[in-house]
Amino acid sequence: MNAYRQGWTLRRRMVALLTVVLVLLLGLAAAEAVVAEKNRQNIDAVLVKTGPLRVQAQELMSALLDQETAVRGYAVNGDRKDLAPYAAGLERERDLVASMEQLAADYPDVRRELAVVEQRATGWRAAVAEPVITTIERSGPTAGQALITDQTRQEFDGVRASVDQLQDEILVIRQQAADRVSSTSNVLVVLLIGAALVVAVAGAVMLLSLDRILIRPLAALVGQVREVAAGDYQHHIEGSGPPEFRRLADDIDAMRQKIAQELDEVRQARERIEWVNSQLQKQAEELTRSNRDLEQFAYVASHDLQEPLRKVASFCQLLQRRYAGQLDERADQYIAFAVDGAQRMQRLINDLLAFSRIGRLTTGFAEVDLNKVMGDVAAQTEAARQYADAELTWDELPVICGEEPLLTNLLANLVSNSIKFRRPDLPPRVHMSARRVGDEWEISCQDNGIGIEPEFADKIFVIFQRLHSKDAYPGTGIGLAIVKKIVEYHGGQVWVDTDAEEGTVIRFTLPALPAEGEESTGDEGVPEEGTATTPEGAPVGRQPDGTVRGETPDGAARDGTTGGMRETVG
């Protein structure tokens, strides 16, 4: 560290240079301020004092001439009206003298000459003007004209001469003020040039200093770093210039040494990593092949188990019909257990088969009007709604891009689930709605059923997970798992709104069409009430309880009741 303390640091050098320049500039600025103030005072003297004094001196002469002319005219005509300019000139003279005395407060010579003018004007009025006016008033114009002689004219010429001397004195002081303005202006220009020279010299010194203590050492350091970056990790980096650069060079060299050491370790580890990667790739390939085999196995197993299960179920039903009542009560119970187990196994296999087909058997994405899909769902769930006296309504739904059979299966599962998990004391109401959220449509299925506790909000979407016994609510527990898989297949998400005040609200998102507006418009896809039909050849999906959509529940087939059915479109 002691070696780094030799010489000034870069910051210290820059601070010293800037301090010197700042002191010089502040000194020049102070001098310029003083000179500028003096220059302003001199300019004020020229413009505000001597200039008005000169103008008022001329006006004073004009006022005196008006008095002299008025006296002459009165002497000729004897008309009292001719004395109006005399009185006006006398009043102007008094105002001008008072104003000039204020302006000439700093100029005693001007005040002295002004006093001379006023003295001679007063003497002229006392010796000439007033006697002439008095004589004319007493004896007439002829007597007054006799008093106007060459001597009286010389008396007014003396007044005129004193006014000329006053103007000459004003010109003298005005010229002196103008000379001072020129002098201070020249000094101000010199100071500005000096400030510019200080800035220029300081800039040149700074550029040279930066080149010597910053740019050159930095360029040398960059060159050495580039050699190391090019692959010469054994090149020693040595710094020059200010202490900061030497410390930086030592830090970079220490980093170079560390990198070189770590590169050796990396070279040794690279071979191990490549070997591990090759093993991982083999395992990934084996895992992919295993998953494909497991998926094929699940499909084949569920498909091939259909035939033996149908045989078991058929023969159990034959035993039940043929020997019902012929055996004891326990034997009938055993046969009933066998029939029920075979049917439940068949439903589980069918649901598993439907679950495995999602995303495997695809018809391709196309624009799907969810209003038409809801019409199909209404037709498929008609029997179940009649049995439960359920009401199915929906608002205007959007047009999205997806597979219509899967979307039909999705909405049918949600509607069937809402009807199945109903409250015993209240007719079920199911309502579908949609709203635009960014680039997605958020679609909600709301009912007034038994609801879902918040702690089970995620569990219900797991395959074969049930919250109730099969005696309370029949089914395999795969319906909402199918819903989740279809939604995720279309690029969306599904969840339970745990803030619902009544019943259950299941929301899911689907991507909106790229060119779609903020809201879906038009009602071409809205089916009329009671006119929704299942498209011919559309695949029949499964309800969450494992029954085929459109089948009448066991209770409805047994009791023969249909209940009320209300289907409305909002």
Side-chain angles (χ1 to χ4, degrees):
M1 294 298 294
N2 292 332
Y4 296 141
R5 295 174 183 172
Q6 298 175 359
W8 284 13
T9 63
L10 179 61
R11 175 180 294 180
R12 187 176 180 184
R13 295 178 184 182
M14 291 296 102
V15 169
L17 178 60
L18 292 176
T19 301
V20 172
V21 173
L22 182 61
V23 169
L24 291 176
L25 290 178
L26 288 176
L28 290 173
E32 289 174 359
V34 173
V35 174
E37 178 62 23
K38 292 182 178 179
N39 189 54
R40 186 188 63 80
Q41 294 175 358
N42 294 331
I43 292 174
D44 289 344
V46 173
L47 299 178
V48 180
K49 294 181 179 179
T50 60
L53 278 174
R54 185 180 180 186
V55 173
Q56 291 179 6
Q58 293 175 352
E59 292 179 354
L60 178 62
M61 186 65 209
S62 176
L64 293 173
L65 287 175
D66 288 344
Q67 296 178 40
E68 196 267 344
T69 302
V71 171
R72 285 179 178 274
Y74 183 59
V76 172
N77 299 323
D79 188 357
R80 190 70 182 175
K81 294 180 180 179
D82 292 337
L83 288 178
Y86 176 81
L90 182 61
E91 184 68 22
R92 285 179 56 203
E93 177 187 351
R94 292 171 181 172
D95 294 340
L96 290 171
V97 169
S99 175
M100 293 177 69
E101 286 179 350
Q102 292 180 358
L103 294 174
D106 297 332
Y107 306 108
D109 294 339
V110 174
R111 293 175 62 188
R112 184 177 62 253
E113 294 296 334
L114 181 61
V116 171
V117 171
E118 185 64 16
Q119 181 181 2
R120 290 185 178 182
T122 303
W124 173 79
R125 280 190 293 272
V128 178
E130 296 297 333
V132 169
I133 293 173
T134 303
T135 301
I136 292 173
E137 290 177 348
R138 292 176 179 177
S139 306
T142 304
Q145 291 178 2
L147 296 177
I148 301 176
T149 62
D150 293 339
Q151 184 177 0
T152 61
R153 293 188 182 91
Q154 292 176 359
E155 186 75 20
F156 190 78
D157 290 341
V159 175
R160 182 182 287 108
S162 63
V163 173
D164 292 340
Q165 291 179 359
L166 174 62
Q167 291 180 344
D168 292 341
E169 184 64 28
I170 292 173
L171 286 176
V172 169
I173 62 173
R174 185 176 185 277
Q175 186 61 39
Q176 291 175 354
D179 292 341
R180 289 196 297 272
V181 169
S182 177
S183 176
T184 54
S185 298
N186 292 334
V187 173
L188 188 61
V189 170
V190 170
L191 291 176
L192 291 174
I193 293 174
L197 289 176
V198 169
V199 173
V201 171
V205 172
M206 182 174 292
L207 288 177
L208 294 175
S209 301
L210 290 176
D211 180 69
R212 188 175 65 86
I213 65 178
L214 179 64
I215 297 177
R216 292 180 186 178
L218 184 59
L221 181 60
V222 169
Q224 298 181 70
V225 170
R226 286 177 177 173
E227 289 184 14
V228 175
D232 187 7
Y233 295 103
Q234 303 303 323
H235 179 78
H236 177 67
I237 297 177
E238 184 175 359
S240 60
E244 295 96 329
F245 281 11
R246 294 197 294 272
R247 285 196 296 269
L248 177 61
D250 290 345
D251 293 339
I252 294 176
D253 190 67
M255 183 174 61
R256 175 196 62 80
Q257 296 176 5
K258 185 176 180 180
I259 291 174
Q261 180 180 0
E262 291 180 352
L263 280 176
D264 293 336
E265 299 176 357
V266 168
R267 292 190 187 96
Q268 297 175 3
R270 182 179 299 171
E271 296 180 358
R272 295 194 299 270
I273 293 175
E274 290 177 353
W275 180 83
V276 170
N277 286 336
S278 63
Q279 297 298 318
L280 289 175
Q281 185 176 1
K282 292 179 180 178
Q283 292 179 4
E285 293 174 355
E286 293 176 358
L287 183 60
T288 301
R289 184 170 55 254
S290 175
N291 288 337
R292 187 169 57 251
D293 293 342
L294 285 174
E295 185 177 344
Q296 184 67 22
F297 172 77
Y299 175 78
V300 172
S302 60
H303 184 273
D304 292 347
L305 284 175
Q306 295 286 342
E307 180 60 26
L309 274 175
R310 276 195 291 269
K311 287 184 178 180
V312 171
S314 297
F315 282 108
C316 287
Q317 291 172 355
L318 287 174
L319 287 173
Q320 190 178 34
R321 287 196 296 269
R322 177 170 296 183
Y323 296 104
Q326 299 181 19
L327 303 176
D328 57 4
E329 183 179 354
R330 186 174 296 275
D332 292 339
Q333 187 179 10
Y334 290 164
I335 294 174
F337 286 161
V339 172
D340 181 65
Q343 290 178 347
R344 285 194 293 110
M345 179 61 72
Q346 193 171 18
R347 286 197 297 269
L348 283 172
I349 293 174
N350 287 334
D351 290 342
L352 182 60
L353 182 61
F355 186 82
S356 65
R357 284 176 176 172
I358 297 175
R360 293 180 65 250
L361 303 177
T362 177
T363 59
F365 277 26
E367 291 187 3
V368 179
D369 187 355
L370 293 184
N371 294 290
K372 178 180 178 300
V373 172
M374 278 304 301
D376 297 340
V377 171
Q380 293 176 18
T381 59
E382 180 178 359
R385 289 187 289 115
Q386 286 180 346
Y387 172 72
D389 192 21
E391 179 184 0
L392 173 61
T393 59
W394 63 90
D395 295 335
E396 180 72 11
L397 299 179
V399 176
I400 65 166
C401 185
E403 293 191 23
E404 184 172 350
L406 293 180
L407 294 173
T408 304
N409 195 0
L410 164 66
L411 298 180
N413 272 290
L414 291 175
V415 172
S416 299
N417 228 41
S418 296
I419 295 174
K420 182 172 69 172
F421 294 100
R422 61 184 179 273
R423 293 167 58 181
D425 57 340
L426 192 65
R429 295 195 309 272
V430 185
H431 182 71
M432 302 291 295
S433 60
R435 68 186 183 103
R436 184 71 178 266
V437 180
D439 296 334
E440 295 180 325
W441 283 102
E442 182 184 289
I443 303 173
S444 304
C445 177
Q446 184 174 4
D447 60 51
N448 61 343
I450 61 175
I452 299 174
E453 296 296 332
E455 58 265 26
F456 303 122
D458 295 329
K459 183 179 179 181
I460 62 173
F461 294 105
V462 180
I463 187 171
F464 297 137
Q465 289 291 329
R466 299 174 53 87
L467 303 182
H468 308 278
S469 65
K470 64 178 182 299
D471 296 331
Y473 294 97
T476 60
I478 200 174
L480 291 181
I482 291 177
V483 168
K484 181 179 180 182
K485 189 170 183 180
I486 294 175
V487 171
E488 292 177 349
Y489 174 69
H490 284 81
Q493 294 180 340
V494 62
W495 68 95
V496 176
D497 188 353
T498 57
D499 296 331
E501 297 180 357
E502 180 186 17
T504 302
V505 179
I506 296 180
R507 306 184 189 276
F508 62 94
T509 59
L510 293 175
L513 293 177
E516 201 170 12
E518 288 297 322
E519 294 182 0
S520 179
T521 58
D523 45 0
E524 299 82 9
V526 179
E528 297 182 359
E529 182 175 344
T531 61
T533 59
T534 303
E536 184 177 355
V540 179
R542 295 213 146 263
Q543 303 283 14
D545 59 356
T547 62
V548 178
R549 288 193 302 271
E551 291 180 355
T552 304
D554 296 340
R558 181 174 62 252
D559 298 336
T561 59
T562 58
M565 189 227 6
R566 290 178 294 277
E567 174 188 336
T568 61
V569 179

